[in-house]
Amino acid sequence: MDFGVGYFPTHDGMRPGEVARMVEERGQDALFIPDHTHIPAAVATRSGGALQRKYVHIYDQFVALAAAASATATLRIGSGVTLVVERDPIVTAKEVASVDHLSGGRFEFGVGAGWNREEMRNHGTDPRTRMALMRERVEAMKQIWTRHEASYQGRFVSFDRIWSYPKPAQRPHPPILVGGGGPTVLDRVLAYGDAWLPHYTGEEVFDRIEELRARADRPIEIQFLDTPVDPTLFERMAAAGVRRANHWLPSGPRGTVERALEQWEAAIRQFNGE
C-alpha cells in the first residue's frame, strides 16, 4: 500500500510547489489538491462550526496542480476532488490533458459533485440534477481525450465535432477517481470511474468496498482521500486491498506542514515495522 497527502494551498501558506517538492523528497507517493472557486458569503456553517478559512483562501486548483507538477519528477499529482459540476467540460478536459502531458503522465483525476449547494448554484448548477450533470461532463471529457474529432450529445452537455490537443500522456486518459460516500456513489464508480476515492468514515466503508468489488466487472482501485494517523487502520486497509491511503496536511507555513507530515510518516514507519 502506498501513502500520500492532501493539502489546501492557500496564498498565505506554504506554496503548492514547495509542498510537492517536500513530500516527494520525503518519500510520499502522491499529493492531492482540492477545488473551490469561491465560497458564498451566506453559506451555512457545517457541523455547527464556522467554515475553515482555507476554503476561502485556496489557489485555483489547476494552477496549483501545475505548480506541484513542475516542482517534482516522480510524485503523482491528483485533484482531490475537482468539482466537475462547477466547471465547463471542454475547458476542464484541456486543463486535465495539459497537466498530465506536462507532468509526463503523473496526474490522477479525482471528481466529485461537492457539498456546497450555494456554490453550485452560483455556477448555474441545479443541485437536484448535479449527479446526472457530473456523469455527462465526465463522459464528454473522455470523448475529448480519446478522439481526434470529439462530439457529445446529452441532456446537459452537447457539442459537435471539436478538436482539442494536447491529449493526455496517459492512455486512454488519466485515472478517474470518483469521490464521495453517499448512498449512490458506488453506482457512479461503476458507471465511469477507475477508482473509488472516499474519506474514511468508519468500519462500514470496508463493507462497501466488498460490495463494489462484487458488483464490478473490471478491476476497481480503492484509495482513501482522508485517512486518520493510525497504523492499525493501515493494516486493515492493506488487508482490504487499498491502493493508497492519503492524509490531509494542515494549511500554513512550512513548520506547521512539516510537523503534521512527520506525524504521518511516523505512523507509516510503525506500520512498516521500522
Side-chain angles (χ1 to χ4, degrees):
M1 187 170 70
D2 290 323
F3 294 90
V5 297
Y7 180 69
F8 276 73
T10 61
H11 61 84
D12 53 356
M14 197 173 177
R15 292 175 178 264
E18 296 170 342
V19 174
R21 188 179 302 111
M22 181 175 71
V23 299
E24 180 179 71
E25 289 173 350
R26 299 181 68 143
Q28 295 293 308
D29 181 64
L31 172 66
F32 283 84
I33 291 175
D35 183 26
H36 284 282
T37 59
H38 71 289
I39 295 295
V43 66
T45 58
R46 301 185 73 198
S47 304
L51 192 70
Q52 297 181 57
R53 70 183 302 278
K54 65 184 180 181
Y55 286 89
V56 178
H57 292 266
I58 188 173
Y59 281 111
D60 173 82
Q61 184 183 55
F62 281 94
V63 172
L65 287 164
S70 67
T72 54
T74 61
L75 190 73
R76 301 290 292 179
I77 306 296
S79 57
V81 295
T82 297
L83 301 178
V84 174
V85 303
E86 298 179 6
R87 290 180 171 270
D88 178 272
I90 298 174
V91 174
T92 306
K94 172 75 80 172
E95 291 173 324
V96 168
S98 296
V99 171
D100 194 58
H101 196 275
L102 288 168
S103 69
R106 291 186 283 131
F107 184 63
E108 300 191 8
F109 190 33
V111 301
W115 54 267
N116 192 324
R117 297 194 174 203
E118 293 87 348
E119 184 179 357
M120 297 174 206
R121 292 190 181 100
N122 286 348
H123 285 280
T125 293
D126 183 345
R128 295 171 298 181
T129 57
R130 67 189 187 280
M131 297 306 179
L133 172 66
M134 181 165 71
R135 176 171 182 162
E136 288 194 7
R137 287 184 174 175
V138 171
E139 289 176 346
M141 285 187 279
K142 286 184 177 182
Q143 293 295 309
I144 295 170
W145 294 326
T146 59
R147 296 180 181 274
H148 167 62
E149 189 170 275
S151 61
Y152 187 87
Q153 301 297 327
R155 176 184 173 192
F156 302 101
V157 179
S158 180
F159 55 84
D160 288 320
R161 300 181 60 227
I162 68 169
W163 300 339
S164 179
Y165 283 83
K167 301 303 182 186
Q170 296 177 88
R171 295 289 188 266
H173 50 71
I176 295 172
L177 286 53
V178 179
T184 61
V185 67
L186 300 187
D187 296 335
R188 295 191 290 280
V189 176
L190 293 168
Y192 52 80
D194 300 299
W196 184 29
L197 185 66
H199 294 294
Y200 177 75
T201 55
E203 279 291 311
E204 70 280 355
V205 74
F206 294 108
D207 293 333
R208 302 195 75 186
I209 290 173
E210 291 183 6
E211 178 189 348
L212 176 62
R213 287 180 170 148
R215 293 173 57 188
D217 60 359
R218 65 187 189 281
I220 298 287
E221 188 175 279
I222 309 295
Q223 296 192 37
F224 280 95
L225 184 57
D226 186 14
T227 307
V229 181
D230 182 353
T232 302
L233 180 58
F234 300 167
E235 294 175 3
R236 181 76 173 88
M237 290 180 172
V242 172
R243 164 71 174 79
R244 182 189 293 129
N246 302 291
H247 174 68
W248 285 113
L249 299 176
S251 301
R254 185 180 185 93
T256 299
V257 177
E258 199 161 26
R259 282 191 296 273
L261 182 57
E262 288 170 354
Q263 293 175 349
W264 178 239
E265 291 172 335
I268 295 170
R269 287 194 298 271
Q270 185 176 339
F271 164 70
N272 289 329
E274 299 175 4

